[in-house]
Amino acid sequence: MNNWRNAVSERRVEGQRERGIQMLSVQPDTKPKGCAGCNRKIKDRYLLKALDKYWHEDCLKCACCDCRLGEVGSTLYTKANLILCRRDYLRLFGVTGNCAACSKLIPAFEMVMRAKENVYHLDCFACQLCNQRFCVGDKFFLKNNMILCQTDYEEGLMKEGYAPQVR
Ligand SMILES: [Zn+2]
Ligand SMILES: [Zn+2]
Ligand SMILES: [Zn+2]
Ligand SMILES: [Zn+2]
């Protein structure tokens, strides 16, 4: 039985759904583009381009709070056909977890290390006996929900009645 695991890091929120918004000035001699929000022609001096579509400045809005996304910053988030501002996206989908080592909250979008269903801050992902840090791809051992390096794991195996104490 191979009990070793390879360390993996990942973003807390899976799938990057951040999209850019561009503000373009409309050239007077071009045909007006249709707005993806209201389907009318855009006759303003400026229009927004996002998700490969064109929008009135007033039409590109967050589905939740109705804020104009062209103003809040220049990114929007999409999920299940909803267009959302960053704040609402994080509130709805940015599930945060607690670090299995320090029990503090891990904010959405932060990189984490994962071991089984546990997630850890990058800084917290270390051997819980000698504090050796692991990089992505390094081998570690998970015993009784403790992260162990190879040395400590093998030493533990040699001792009889092995019962690791957390720090
Ligand atoms: Zn429109
Ligand atoms: Zn919003
Ligand atoms: Zn932590
Ligand atoms: Zn160790």
Side-chain angles (χ1 to χ4, degrees), residues 105-160:
L105 206 68
I106 303 178
F109 293 113
E110 187 168 316
M111 295 295 290
V112 294
M113 299 296 278
R114 176 183 288 279
K116 272 181 154 177
E117 25 336 308
N118 295 336
V119 285
Y120 303 83
H121 293 110
L122 292 190
D123 287 345
C124 293
F125 194 76
C127 170
Q128 283 172 280
L129 290 178
C130 72
N131 287 332
Q132 185 205 302
R133 298 268 301 270
F134 300 96
C135 297
V136 173
D138 286 354
K139 290 192 164 165
F140 67 96
F141 188 80
L142 201 62
K143 187 179 172 82
N144 303 331
N145 242 352
M146 278 179 62
I147 304 165
L148 296 175
C149 68
Q150 181 162 16
T151 317
D152 283 318
Y153 174 64
E154 284 172 358
E155 247 175 51
L157 283 185
M158 285 189 287
K159 285 179 200 157
E160 220 191 353

Side-chain angles (χ1 to χ4, degrees), residues 62 64-65 67 85 88:
C62 169
C64 252
C65 68
C67 67
C85 67
D88 285 316

